[in-house]
Amino acid sequence: MQRAFSREAASVGVVGAGTIGASWAALFLATGRRVTVVDPDPQAMARLRLSIEAVAGDLAALGAGDPRDHWDGLTAAGGDWGALAGVDLVQENGPESLAAKRGIYASIEAVVGPETLIASSTSGLMPSDLQEGARHPERILIGHPFNPPHLLPLVEIVPGRLTAPDAVAAAEAVYRAVGKVPVVLRREIAGHLATRLVAALWREAVYLVEQGVCDLDDIDRAIAAGPGPRWAVLGQGLSYHLGGGAGGLGRFLDVFDAPIRSWWDDLGTPVFDEASKRRLVAGAEALEESVGGREALLRMRNEALLAVLRAPGPLAPGPLAPGRGGEGGAG
């Protein structure tokens, strides 16, 4: 059944006021939408406004707007599910538990109309599993952001078996309207798309540390000083395409066929036991302290991300990016 899903979502519900939910709320608020946040945890609700204020400067610097200019559009509803009545989109950020999310969806569906989209920020659960038992499974899908959602533009849209094409199209339009870069998967798979790629890299990083090839510091510096900046501009496919010279990706694959196969064959399987985890944690904590602690690290990350995101590029969300500055763009 076709439904009139909103492609602007002037009114948005955010379920969960933790790190991800508060970041989503700040973005939606900055772009002038009415935002209703539901979270039964009183401590999370008490931190909501402070969490939004903490990222307001980033959003303003990015040109997305300033959520502090729209405080009158924010409703902190606590555990009042009824406050979601009338919203166009619910962005759900509950615990990574199938049972918990199904309970959340039952509460949402009890108060919203069938034309309200429901998108989950889950990084690992399958949308078809989330749809089981729902009154209107056709409007449920994954809208998985990358952390921090208020800055990183990627949103992975993953439909389930029963998701309506109109729901996917509407979700894509809404995310574009708030400045996101949506990627729609053709079918669901555990971990979606980008998280699987990151997990593959992390797996090999852990293996290299376990084998004594390098420390976590070496891993992070190698990525940040090498492929990281290049990925921010082109991604892996076009990087290899340019690496092939005039012959492009075709020549690259011909020349590096044997070496790539040998590297794949040599990729390791980490033990990832408690001793390995302690070594990784110690490495991360040492890196954090080297830059002055957690708050300094967060600020350094956000300032660097802002610099990257403001730079033009064929795939990055700058002035030349597809879907930006045109219809549905965020400006």
Side-chain angles (χ1 to χ4, degrees), residues 206-207 209-210 270-282:
V206 171
Y207 176 75
V209 172
E210 287 182 350
V271 176
F272 209 44
D273 57 12
E274 290 305 314
S276 173
K277 292 177 184 178
R278 286 194 297 270
R279 183 176 179 184
L280 292 168
V281 169

Coordinates of all heavy atoms in Angstrom, one line a residue, residues 206-207 209-210 270-282:
V206 N 44.1 -5.4 14.5 CA 44.3 -6.2 15.7 C 45.3 -7.3 15.5 O 46.1 -7.6 16.3 CB 42.9 -6.7 16.2 CG1 43.1 -7.7 17.3 CG2 42.0 -5.6 16.6
Y207 N 45.2 -8.0 14.3 CA 46.1 -9.1 14.0 C 47.6 -8.6 14.0 O 48.5 -9.2 14.6 CB 45.7 -9.7 12.7 CG 46.7 -10.8 12.2 CD1 46.6 -12.1 12.8 CD2 47.6 -10.5 11.2 CE1 47.5 -13.0 12.4 CE2 48.5 -11.5 10.8 CZ 48.4 -12.8 11.4 OH 49.3 -13.8 11.0
V209 N 48.9 -6.0 15.5 CA 49.3 -5.7 16.9 C 49.6 -7.0 17.6 O 50.6 -7.1 18.3 CB 48.2 -4.8 17.6 CG1 48.6 -4.7 19.1 CG2 48.1 -3.5 17.0
E210 N 48.7 -8.0 17.5 CA 49.0 -9.2 18.2 C 50.2 -9.9 17.7 O 50.9 -10.6 18.5 CB 47.8 -10.2 18.0 CG 46.5 -9.8 18.7 CD 45.4 -10.7 18.5 OE1 45.5 -11.6 17.6 OE2 44.4 -10.6 19.2
P270 N 42.9 -12.6 14.0 CA 43.3 -12.3 15.3 C 42.8 -13.2 16.4 O 41.7 -13.8 16.3 CB 42.9 -10.9 15.5 CG 41.7 -10.7 14.6 CD 42.0 -11.6 13.5
V271 N 43.5 -13.4 17.5 CA 43.1 -14.1 18.6 C 42.0 -13.4 19.4 O 40.9 -13.9 19.8 CB 44.2 -14.5 19.6 CG1 43.7 -15.2 20.8 CG2 45.3 -15.3 18.9
F272 N 42.2 -12.1 19.6 CA 41.3 -11.1 20.2 C 40.8 -11.6 21.6 O 39.6 -11.6 21.9 CB 40.1 -10.9 19.3 CG 39.4 -9.6 19.4 CD1 40.2 -8.4 19.5 CD2 38.1 -9.4 19.5 CE1 39.6 -7.2 19.7 CE2 37.5 -8.2 19.6 CZ 38.3 -7.0 19.7
D273 N 41.8 -12.1 22.4 CA 41.5 -12.5 23.7 C 41.6 -11.4 24.7 O 41.8 -10.2 24.3 CB 42.4 -13.7 24.1 CG 43.9 -13.3 24.0 OD1 44.2 -12.1 23.9 OD2 44.7 -14.2 24.1
E274 N 41.4 -11.6 26.0 CA 41.4 -10.6 27.0 C 42.8 -9.8 27.0 O 42.8 -8.6 27.2 CB 41.1 -11.1 28.4 CG 39.6 -11.6 28.5 CD 38.7 -10.4 28.1 OE1 38.9 -9.3 28.6 OE2 37.7 -10.7 27.3
A275 N 43.9 -10.6 26.9 CA 45.2 -9.9 26.9 C 45.3 -9.0 25.7 O 45.9 -7.9 25.8 CB 46.3 -11.0 26.9
S276 N 44.8 -9.4 24.6 CA 44.9 -8.6 23.4 C 44.1 -7.3 23.5 O 44.5 -6.2 23.2 CB 44.4 -9.4 22.2 OG 44.3 -8.6 21.0
K277 N 42.9 -7.5 24.1 CA 42.0 -6.3 24.3 C 42.7 -5.3 25.3 O 42.6 -4.1 25.1 CB 40.7 -6.8 24.9 CG 39.8 -7.6 23.8 CD 38.5 -8.1 24.5 CE 37.7 -8.9 23.5 NZ 36.5 -9.4 24.1
R278 N 43.3 -5.8 26.4 CA 44.0 -4.9 27.3 C 45.1 -4.2 26.6 O 45.3 -3.0 26.9 CB 44.5 -5.7 28.5 CG 43.4 -6.2 29.5 CD 44.0 -6.7 30.8 NE 44.9 -7.8 30.6 CZ 44.5 -9.1 30.7 NH1 43.2 -9.4 30.9 NH2 45.3 -10.1 30.5
R279 N 45.8 -4.8 25.8 CA 46.9 -4.1 25.0 C 46.3 -3.0 24.1 O 46.9 -1.9 24.1 CB 47.7 -5.1 24.2 CG 48.9 -4.5 23.5 CD 49.7 -5.6 22.8 NE 50.8 -5.0 22.1 CZ 51.7 -5.8 21.3 NH1 51.5 -7.1 21.2 NH2 52.6 -5.2 20.7
L280 N 45.2 -3.3 23.5 CA 44.6 -2.3 22.6 C 44.1 -1.1 23.4 O 44.3 0.0 23.0 CB 43.5 -3.0 21.8 CG 43.9 -4.0 20.8 CD1 42.7 -4.8 20.2 CD2 44.6 -3.3 19.6
V281 N 43.4 -1.4 24.5 CA 42.9 -0.4 25.4 C 44.0 0.5 25.9 O 43.9 1.7 25.9 CB 42.0 -1.0 26.5 CG1 41.7 0.1 27.5 CG2 40.8 -1.6 26.0
A282 N 45.1 -0.1 26.4 CA 46.2 0.7 26.9 C 46.8 1.6 25.8 O 47.1 2.7 26.1 CB 47.3 -0.3 27.4

